């Protein structure tokens, strides 16, 4: 399955990607660590080299809402730096993560020197379109939304095995519920139905999707 391209890195030729990474220093984060907090100053960006993170915001009622899952090649925190605004979301690791930390001033200088503002704008528009699409999907039923999200996860972080597509991340039923705008109980019921139909299996830190075609039919 092809990975979705949301980031500036996917729009740059290899030599510019290497040059951008050279502006920063390598950093490592364990699973479950917050890298950026929503509302904090945007002092740097993170280029993800290995691993995955979840991007979340706090709703008006205080609930955590998952906006996206991001992985290798993604640049986190760039919009806040480029707009000189506080972090718009919290970024938390869902696996061990290796990345490159680049200071805001170094990123801005690089963008100016390489005349990358059009590419930065394109990356921002792509992410905005993805967010708009999620608003439309909120009109679907819980099973439809869950199936779509599981397929998105397979596309973003899935690894194909003989048993199916494995999602080896620490995502709870509450994480899934917050991402699709449903209650934890509703998600638990739909997951149970999918398990009973042998479409998925769930375990500690892992979900396996056994039949993507069937899930696509549910996602319609």
């Amino acid at each position: 399955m092809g990975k979705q391209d949301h980031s500036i890195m996917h729009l740059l030729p290899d030599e510019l990607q290497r040059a951008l990474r050279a502006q920063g220093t390598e950093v490592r984060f364990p699973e479950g660590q917050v890298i950026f907090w929503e509302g904090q100053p945007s002092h740097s960006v993170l280029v993800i080299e290995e691993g995955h993170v979840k991007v979340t915001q706090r709703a008006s009622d205080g609930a955590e809402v998952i906006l996206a899952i991001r992985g290798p090649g993604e640049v986190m925190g760039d919009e806040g730096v480029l707009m000189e605004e506080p972090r718009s979301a919290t970024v938390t690791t869902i696996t061990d993560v290796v990345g490159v930390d680049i200071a805001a001033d170094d990123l801005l200088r690089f963008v100016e020197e390489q005349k990358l503002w059009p590419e930065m704008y394109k990356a921002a528009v792509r992410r905005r379109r993805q967010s708009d699409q999620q608003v439309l999907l909120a009109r679907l039923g819980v099973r439809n939304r869950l199936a779509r999200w599981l397929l998105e996860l397979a596309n973003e972080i899935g690894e194909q095995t003989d048993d199916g597509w494995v999602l080896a991340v620490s995502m709870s039923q509450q994480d899934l519920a917050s991402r699709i705008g449903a209650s934890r109980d509703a998600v638990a019921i739909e997951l149970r139905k999918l398990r009973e139909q042998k479409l998925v299996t769930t375990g500690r830190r892992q979900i396996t999707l056994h039949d993507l075609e069937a899930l696509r039919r549910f996602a319609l």
Side-chain angles (χ1 to χ4, degrees), residues 151-165:
L151 290 168
E152 283 185 32
L153 285 174
N155 188 57
E156 292 284 353
I157 63 178
E159 294 186 10
Q160 190 171 20
T161 69
D162 292 339
D163 198 32
W165 286 83

Side-chain angles (χ1 to χ4, degrees), residues 6-8 36 42-46 55 57 67 70 75-89 104 107-108 117 120-131:
H6 312 284
S7 167
I8 178 61
F36 301 144
S42 300
H43 293 318
S44 65
V45 301
L46 174 73
V55 183
Q57 283 183 339
L67 304 179
R70 297 287 185 246
V75 180
M76 310 307 302
D78 54 325
E79 288 189 26
V81 167
L82 296 170
M83 299 297 293
E84 298 183 342
E85 295 176 347
R87 307 288 191 198
S88 61
L107 176 67
L108 291 171
W117 283 107
M120 304 302 290
Y121 175 74
K122 289 177 184 177
V125 168
R126 288 184 181 189
R127 283 187 298 228
R128 186 64 59 190
R129 285 176 177 171
Q130 183 195 34
S131 297

Side-chain angles (χ1 to χ4, degrees), residues 191-208:
L191 275 177
R192 187 183 71 244
K193 291 177 181 177
L194 293 176
R195 286 194 299 267
E196 289 172 349
Q197 296 175 59
K198 302 188 184 305
L199 299 182
V200 307
T201 54
T202 58
R204 185 175 180 273
R205 297 163 49 86
Q206 182 171 298
I207 302 174
T208 303

Side-chain angles (χ1 to χ4, degrees), residues 23-132:
Q23 307 300 310
T25 56
E26 182 179 290
V27 289
R28 294 174 178 269
F29 302 97
E31 176 190 318
Q33 180 168 333
V34 174
I35 300 175
F36 301 144
W37 287 98
E38 181 179 354
Q40 76 175 173
S42 300
H43 293 318
S44 65
V45 301
L46 174 73
V47 180
I48 301 176
E49 299 293 306
E50 300 174 17
H52 291 84
V53 302
K54 63 179 179 180
V55 183
T56 62
Q57 283 183 339
R58 286 289 175 186
S60 58
D61 61 0
E64 180 184 75
V65 178
I66 297 180
L67 304 179
I69 301 295
R70 297 287 185 246
E74 303 287 354
V75 180
M76 310 307 302
D78 54 325
E79 288 189 26
V81 167
L82 296 170
M83 299 297 293
E84 298 183 342
E85 295 176 347
R87 307 288 191 198
S88 61
T90 296
V91 175
T92 308
T93 62
I94 56 175
T95 66
D96 292 344
V97 167
V98 178
V100 177
D101 182 79
I102 303 173
D105 290 345
D106 292 334
L107 176 67
L108 291 171
R109 183 176 62 253
F110 184 81
V111 169
E112 288 287 353
E113 290 175 351
Q114 301 297 331
K115 298 179 173 56
L116 295 179
W117 283 107
E119 284 74 14
M120 304 302 290
Y121 175 74
K122 289 177 184 177
V125 168
R126 288 184 181 189
R127 283 187 298 228
R128 186 64 59 190
R129 285 176 177 171
Q130 183 195 34
S131 297
D132 292 343

